[in-house]
Amino acid sequence: MSDKYSIDSHKLILHPTRVSKWYEAGSDWEKLKKIYPIYVEISPYGGCNHRCTFCALDYMGYENIGLEFDVLKDTLSDMAKNGVKSVMFAGEGEPLLFKDLDLIVEHCSQVGIDTSLTTNFVPSNKKAVQRFVENCSWIKVSLNAGTPKTYAEVHQTKEIDFERVMQNLKNALEYRKENNLKCTIGVQMLLLPENKDEAIILAKKCKELGVDYLVIKPYSQHLSSETTKYENIDYSKMMDIQEEVEAVSDENFNVIFRANTMKKYVEKKQPYDKCHSTPFFWGYIAADGKVFGCSAYLGKDEFCYGNIYENSFSEIWEGEKRENSYNYIQNELDIKNCRVNCRMDEVNRYLWRLKNPQDHDNFI
């Protein structure tokens, strides 16, 4: 089955106007500073109800802090006015622990921002689930096992949470069908030695439930993570399950086995020597209000542009700190030390190719 949503590649090629402005700006910061992100990830809440064994953002401390409702709402309005097209609510904590997130998502729809939600889908109620389905472009549930026992071990929670997730998925799917809504509802599984043998079980359960897709993706060691359990994981020994799980796919259900990303994780090579995506095409707002340009360097001053409690998003994005970050990335950052398979890896491969023309490119 094809990767309909380009989950294992990138979609920047579908935004030629924004890319063209970046390309034509060259190194002119007065032009570059006006290039706003297409996509922003927001962490509305820092705390989490789980302690997953693979959590990349454990070093953030799971602080029980959340963004102020009105500040977040105003920030989203500002982002919309300046060309931000999409937002994913996820981050260092569980986004559904943020009170009235469903109302925030509704506001995004009103100002013209496409929204999505990545969640463990445990702390929610039927009414909130319905509003998410009404307003989100997609919902992706982190569900990292096929049985309650293994789920509890990987998520470090109680087995009953597995059934809560299944029920919330069922409620969401039923509401979508009853109201003829378009929200795509998928499940994501991080492939680990502990859950490898349950990938096929999860695939069959997802298909039976009626979800749209199951993504099976590799682990990637975060630079600051306190978790080192999986840093030497060998995906070359797990590729044999690809054919079996993909065979579960049909015209209504798609298993996306991220083989391309797994192969890159094994190779640990980058065909580019600079990060061109940062600080341009995507951004991150942390639960304390700080705005960053790279999720691999959350908490690092070199990648922090400001705080939405102190300045508007547009002031932050066009501000001096972001210019300083741009200069640091261009002149000092050694990407050999960056996270393997970072969020912008495929985008960087594309942008690097644009910046480095080759013979015969004009023979289209």
Side-chain angles (χ1 to χ4, degrees):
M1 299 290 288
S2 63
D3 181 6
K4 177 181 177 181
Y5 302 106
S6 301
I7 292 173
D8 203 27
S9 55
H10 77 94
K11 294 186 278 284
L12 190 60
I13 196 171
L14 303 177
H15 299 274
T17 303
R18 195 80 54 104
V19 174
S20 177
K21 288 180 179 178
W22 166 82
Y23 184 80
E24 292 172 356
S27 58
D28 185 342
W29 179 250
E30 289 304 307
K31 293 180 179 179
L32 289 171
K33 74 179 183 180
K34 296 288 186 181
I35 299 171
Y36 277 73
I38 295 168
Y39 161 79
V40 175
E41 181 175 335
I42 297 178
S43 177
Y45 194 77
C48 190
N49 54 316
H50 289 177
R51 291 292 185 272
C52 298
T53 58
F54 56 81
C55 184
L57 298 180
D58 52 356
Y59 72 98
M60 299 291 280
Y62 307 110
E63 291 187 50
N64 291 320
I65 56 172
L67 295 171
E68 292 181 13
F69 183 90
D70 289 335
V71 173
L72 177 55
K73 191 175 178 181
D74 291 343
T75 297
L76 288 161
S77 296
D78 187 18
M79 288 162 56
K81 289 176 184 176
N82 285 285
V84 173
K85 293 180 176 293
S86 65
V87 163
M88 178 176 75
F89 293 101
E92 62 257 32
E94 167 50 49
L96 291 184
L97 293 176
F98 179 82
K99 188 176 182 293
D100 294 329
L101 182 62
D102 53 331
L103 299 180
I104 289 292
V105 168
E106 191 173 55
H107 174 70
C108 287
S109 295
Q110 293 168 355
V111 298
I113 291 180
D114 292 340
T115 56
S116 61
L117 177 66
T118 294
T119 170
N120 60 45
F121 223 33
V122 174
S124 192
N125 57 59
K126 201 168 187 178
K127 183 180 179 182
V129 166
Q130 291 175 352
R131 192 172 273 127
F132 289 129
V133 175
E134 288 172 356
N135 291 285
C136 284
S137 295
W138 52 266
I139 298 169
K140 184 166 61 183
V141 177
S142 179
L143 182 53
N144 298 285
T147 64
K149 183 177 183 298
T150 304
Y151 175 87
E153 292 171 354
V154 173
H155 285 250
Q156 296 196 77
T157 186
K158 297 177 181 178
E159 291 187 17
I160 190 64
D161 278 0
F162 184 85
E163 302 305 330
R164 290 192 179 107
V165 175
M166 289 297 182
Q167 187 58 53
N168 279 334
L169 276 168
K170 183 179 179 182
N171 292 341
L173 291 160
E174 287 178 350
Y175 187 75
R176 181 181 70 174
K177 183 177 181 180
E178 290 167 1
N179 294 275
N180 195 30
L181 299 170
K182 292 184 178 180
C183 177
T184 301
I185 299 173
V187 169
Q188 176 174 282
M189 176 185 186
L190 194 72
L191 191 61
L192 304 169
E194 297 96 309
N195 63 20
K196 171 181 174 289
D197 295 332
E198 294 189 5
I200 186 65
I201 299 172
L202 182 60
K204 290 177 179 178
K205 286 186 176 181
C206 288
K207 182 177 182 178
E208 184 180 351
L209 268 177
V211 304
D212 298 302
Y213 65 81
L214 167 65
V215 177
I216 299 176
K217 62 177 283 188
Y219 173 83
S220 176
Q221 183 67 34
H222 194 284
L223 306 175
S224 302
S225 177
E226 297 171 5
T227 301
T228 58
K229 182 178 181 180
Y230 305 111
E231 64 179 339
N232 295 313
I233 195 166
D234 185 0
Y235 281 106
S236 64
K237 298 178 180 179
M238 300 189 193
M239 303 296 286
D240 60 324
I241 70 169
Q242 179 178 3
E243 186 175 343
E244 182 182 19
V245 293
E246 287 184 339
V248 181
S249 299
D250 61 20
E251 64 275 9
N252 298 313
F253 175 67
N254 193 6
V255 175
I256 303 162
F257 189 88
R258 297 189 61 177
N260 178 47
T261 306
M262 291 182 195
K263 289 173 183 175
K264 288 190 296 180
Y265 189 77
V266 172
E267 292 169 357
K268 291 181 170 56
K269 293 180 181 179
Q270 297 153 318
Y272 49 89
D273 56 18
K274 280 192 186 301
C275 176
H276 290 305
S277 64
T278 306
F280 300 109
F281 299 104
W282 93 292
Y284 184 102
I285 301 178
D288 61 1
K290 290 180 180 177
V291 178
F292 293 93
C294 179
S295 63
Y297 293 101
L298 297 181
K300 303 293 185 182
D301 289 342
E302 297 91 340
F303 294 86
C304 181
Y305 312 149
N307 194 304
I308 59 173
Y309 290 117
E310 300 169 4
N311 297 98
S312 69
F313 186 84
S314 53
E315 289 171 338
I316 292 169
W317 201 255
E318 297 185 28
E320 184 181 356
K321 287 185 177 180
R322 180 166 164 257
E323 180 181 7
N324 292 340
S325 182
Y326 167 72
N327 290 325
Y328 170 78
I329 291 164
Q330 290 297 306
N331 302 313
E332 298 182 50
L333 178 68
D334 184 354
I335 66 164
K336 291 185 177 67
N337 298 321
C338 287
R339 188 179 186 183
V340 177
N341 277 335
C342 82
R343 185 75 60 84
M344 292 290 106
D345 177 66
E346 285 292 331
V347 167
N348 270 321
R349 290 168 186 253
Y350 170 61
L351 296 176
W352 181 87
R353 182 66 177 82
L354 289 179
K355 284 281 192 178
N356 294 271
Q358 297 179 11
D359 293 342
H360 307 173
D361 279 357
N362 292 334
F363 293 88
I364 61 172

